[in-house]
Amino acid sequence: MKKRTISQTAEPSPQAFQSKLFSNIDQTQFPCIAQLNTNIDVEPAYQSVVTGYKTFKYSKPFYVRENDGVLPEVTVAYETYGELNEQKNNAVLLQGGLSASSHARSHPDNEEPGWWEKFIGPGRALDTDKYFIICTNNIGSCYGSTGPSSINPITNDHYATSFPIITIQDMVNAQFLLLDHLGIEKLHAAVGSSLGGMLSLASAAFHPERVGRLVSISSCMRSHPSSIAMRYLQRKAIVTDPNWQQGRYYNTDKYPKLGTKLAREIATLTYRSGPEWDQRFNRRKIDENAKPSLCPYFQIESYLDHQGELFSTKLDPNSLLYISRAMDLFDLSEPFGTMKKALARIQIPVMVIGVQTDILFPCWQQKELADCLQDAGNQGVSYYELNSLYGHDTFLLDLNGVGAGVKGFIETDNSEKGRVVKGRNDHNRDRMSF
Amino acid sequence: MKKRTISQTAEPSPQAFQSKLFSNIDQTQFPCIAQLNTNIDVEPAYQSVVTGYKTFKYSKPFYVRENDGVLPEVTVAYETYGELNEQKNNAVLLQGGLSASSHARSHPDNEEPGWWEKFIGPGRALDTDKYFIICTNNIGSCYGSTGPSSINPITNDHYATSFPIITIQDMVNAQFLLLDHLGIEKLHAAVGSSLGGMLSLASAAFHPERVGRLVSISSCMRSHPSSIAMRYLQRKAIVTDPNWQQGRYYNTDKYPKLGTKLAREIATLTYRSGPEWDQRFNRRKIDENAKPSLCPYFQIESYLDHQGELFSTKLDPNSLLYISRAMDLFDLSEPFGTMKKALARIQIPVMVIGVQTDILFPCWQQKELADCLQDAGNQGVSYYELNSLYGHDTFLLDLNGVGAGVKGFIETDNSEKGRVVKGRNDHNRDRMSF
């Protein structure tokens, strides 16, 4: 057999060889790692989101569902857009995702764009000329509502991980205490996406007489193990950061930045989609002239790193842990015995919106929700499946697709039932056959 | 408006209240975290996989593709099953995934089950009565082949992160040096899954005259950004572990166990599938009587934790970094100018197998590979799409689906071309119409 050489060339001198080998060492220094080890003593950005929202303080004990937990008081931060009419029947509760503040749209007291900026306003999906939009910061969070970073009035210290485990039901209860305070008996609609969709479903199931219609976007009726897995990995990234200190980092000079950053990078994987990244980054390098190393080399890597960095101080890591766990615990069937019993409580018009590229709350879960609502007797369920590339984040980005569905659904006069009556349908068909 | 109470009950006494609050603190101790902080000084299990394989040592400089890198020598660990025939034309190269050793099947020198145990043997998918199966440990790994944990003969110290960046092409080159050594001019087949499928494709493209047929299972012709993203997160988990020490942990008493464990937990998410977990775990709790906390509570969480724990010392973390990066860098078009030119070199029979639940190497990438091979003129491409629940790991688990396809493809007598000739087809149709 002929000896083959497999692209191996002649040997260099031992000296040249050694120097080549050691040049490898230079190539594998890690500027990306050196950077990582700085900036641990940070002023978390979430602490500075302190302007422009209103607060409602409930000064009595607030009991939570699990573990006999109780908070001595609870504060709900909220913002409103549009005007509440005299009958107080034009309120729309916008329910936000894991990291959402009450700041859904800019206003004179806080001119920063909100997280649903383009969906809210005169003539927009949530029309402020017609509706009074209320958006709260969920309890457990850190933007004005009571959460782990809040001061426990009994100990005068941050709750940290002495904060009780909370659930979707507890978040809804806090929101409805606010509605009581505002004198709103019945919502025109509850609109929520992701965690917010769980809140909307729970609102309608726990308070069927107080919700007029319901929009659930990229949500589910119970958390499935794959979404629990994705959140678990994020929590693990935080709690294995030594700076987390079992959650008691508030009064120390160390903040679990790296763990929180990695958590957000993992989350970003679950929020977007491969097809989007194929289109947006493909295999492009950060620097066309760079040599490959163990440090970020492809644009997709620097994108994830950047997303992680941006977010790493924007949400209190303990808030992420608690709210993320609340999402895991969500199973609408639990308080009612069976899912059918739970969903049978929701006989109002419902719009379910899913996205084909969503890997966190996949389309089949949206379809499942719509189907089960119908099985439980609801004849007013609309199901929209979007082909957006943006995965789970579509609800933040797809103004046309998501916005149109929501607007049409919210504004339709339901005094005529949505289904075409058989007789009329026949009549139309007759006319069309001429 | 009637005042509603939202499931809030009467206030307890301040004393009872305080004690309740403090009982929360007890609930949120973290046994799961306390556990995490132990066992850092471990004897990594990968070091003890030292028996039962053969080694081939190439004692000349081994040049790698990127960064003018070079290794002063290279060792390839390998195992073989069955007998090489006299013509030396019955060899099948089995090419393994990221963490695969050469131990694909048990044998007298190592009776532990191998990673493709049930696929290899008399009468099995890779039939040892007919074929001489060769399985190597890829370079960059840690099971006998040269990798970052190997001793650099020039410095007499572990390479660690002075190990050069390696590519799929380099791994293939090392494998073909072994084939030279064994006197094997041409393989009957190259069979690979995942990373191994990249190796098989590269083998056929770089050495078209030396590969008789090719099986690619759950692989791709170039790494896509979503799979780069999933690997990037694993690498990040390792390099942010302070015990990683820029990769120079070999002679210290610290090992990056927590980072490697988290990396494997992230990897597990990409190896399996949501539908499998729905079936296997659903929302079952670890302990039906446990109260929810921030520690693992659902079975899916302990499953991931367990997978991470098992693997955390089984593959050298630096090997994971280097091989994972090699996978990112894989783009078969690069050495040949365009993908069409690269694939046009592969005119042998090819079987492409994909799995519908695979999120790491999704089905559309398998279809893309099969289509592009056909577009490049290959008329012998078979494409199988499996509906297995096991996601990317299907190649390790689905003995029936994967095994049958591979066996049939490997053993078919190709002296008759695979396509039914038009004339015969017409004849058959005529007969059938009687």
Side-chain angles (χ1 to χ4, degrees), chain B residues 3 20 22 41 74 80 131 181-182 220 224 272 322 332 357-358 368 397 422:
Chain B
K3 182 75 188 163
K20 239 184 176 177
F22 285 107
D41 186 8
V74 76
T80 64
Y131 301 105
H181 166 73
L182 297 173
C220 64
H224 289 265
R272 295 304 184 98
Y322 275 90
L332 193 59
T357 51
D358 190 340
E368 180 187 51
L397 301 166
K422 195 164 185 281

Side-chain angles (χ1 to χ4, degrees), chain A residues 28 161 232 236 295 305 325, chain B residues 28 161 236 265 295 305 325:
Chain A
T28 51
T161 42
Y232 160 78
K236 190 101 182 219
C295 282
D305 185 82
R325 178 54 103 195
Chain B
T28 50
T161 40
K236 189 101 184 219
E265 295 185 64
C295 282
D305 186 81
R325 177 54 103 194

